[in-house]
């Protein structure tokens, strides 16, 4: 495969990291797609990690906090998203432990927020529940949020 602009893998990786942070997996995938040699990628990753340009545990922590503060996803969806980005289960669990979030209260609050944003008070109760269930929220948060959403309108 052809390298664009004849940049070395290290230069390309640093250019990417200058714009935003990437997990190890994301950066390796980008370098592979660009056509760099496996050996060169391994050397670049070793150098970037040793110089702390890449720190998956810190990035995972920041991403988890950002998703929680954003308040648009269930805990299950957040964990899935982090896994999809290539973070290890250990990094994800550490991030979760660092952010002591009352899961039930958080999910209830986000469920209610999503119901208000996406449904009218005349909507069918079952459709609201199914929507939230597909988003990965726990059943008790869904039930409580739907009950409160419909009782506020009465």
């Amino acid at each position: 495969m052809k390298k664009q602009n004849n940049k070395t893998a290290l230069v390309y990786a640093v250019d990417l990291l200058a714009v935003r942070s990437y997990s190890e997996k994301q950066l390796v995938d980008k370098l592979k797609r660009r056509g760099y040699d496996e050996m060169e990628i391994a050397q670049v990753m070793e150098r970037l990690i040793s110089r702390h340009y890449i720190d998956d545990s810190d990035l995972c922590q920041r991403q988890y906090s950002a998703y929680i503060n954003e308040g648009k996803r269930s805990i299950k969806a957040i964990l899935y998203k982090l896994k999809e980005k290539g973070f290890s289960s250990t990094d994800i669990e550490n991030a979760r432990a660092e952010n002591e979030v009352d899961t039930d209260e958080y999910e209830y609050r986000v469920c209610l927020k999503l119901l208000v944003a996406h449904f009218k008070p005349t909507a069918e109760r079952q459709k609201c529940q199914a929507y939230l269930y597909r988003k990965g929220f726990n059943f008790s948060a869904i039930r409580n949020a739907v009950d409160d959403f419909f009782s506020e309108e009465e």
Side-chain angles (χ1 to χ4, degrees):
M1 284 187 222
K2 189 178 174 187
K3 297 177 194 174
Q4 186 178 359
N5 298 330
N6 294 325
K7 289 183 180 180
T8 65
L10 180 62
V11 171
Y12 181 65
V14 171
D15 286 349
L16 289 172
L17 291 169
V19 177
R20 75 173 183 89
S21 298
Y22 288 90
S23 70
E24 288 179 45
K25 179 188 179 299
Q26 289 173 315
L27 196 54
V28 167
D29 289 346
K30 282 195 165 286
L31 292 171
K32 283 181 182 176
R33 277 194 303 266
R34 194 55 93 114
Y36 292 103
D37 178 66
E38 294 277 339
M39 180 75 105
E40 188 179 10
I41 292 172
Q43 291 170 346
V44 167
M45 295 307 293
E46 183 180 318
R47 188 166 180 187
L48 292 173
I49 291 167
S50 70
R51 293 180 185 233
H52 305 290
Y53 281 99
I54 299 176
D55 184 354
D56 272 6
S57 61
D58 179 59
L59 180 59
C60 184
Q61 170 69 41
R62 289 186 287 134
Q63 288 277 273
Y64 186 86
S65 296
Y67 289 142
I68 291 291
N69 293 334
E70 184 181 50
K72 293 182 179 179
R73 293 178 171 91
S74 66
I75 298 291
K76 188 180 200 178
I78 291 171
L79 299 178
Y80 179 78
K81 188 82 171 159
L82 292 172
K83 194 73 169 166
E84 189 178 64
K85 288 181 178 260
F87 296 112
S88 70
S89 298
T90 306
D91 287 339
I92 294 170
E93 283 307 311
N94 290 341
R96 197 170 178 188
E98 283 286 320
N99 286 290
E100 294 181 20
V101 175
D102 180 359
T103 305
D104 294 334
E105 192 274 327
Y106 168 80
E107 290 212 344
Y108 165 78
R109 193 171 21 90
V110 175
C111 281
L112 202 52
K113 180 178 165 183
L114 289 174
L115 287 172
V116 168
H118 295 283
F119 291 96
K120 294 180 179 174
T122 56
E124 289 182 41
R125 185 181 197 92
Q126 196 166 2
K127 283 186 179 181
C128 295
Q129 289 174 332
Y131 170 77
L132 294 171
Y133 187 74
R134 284 191 306 273
K135 296 276 185 190
F137 292 97
N138 69 52
F139 183 73
S140 63
I142 293 170
R143 188 182 61 239
N144 293 336
V146 168
D147 287 347
D148 289 351
F149 178 71
F150 285 108
S151 69
E152 287 177 7
E153 304 305 323
E154 296 175 341

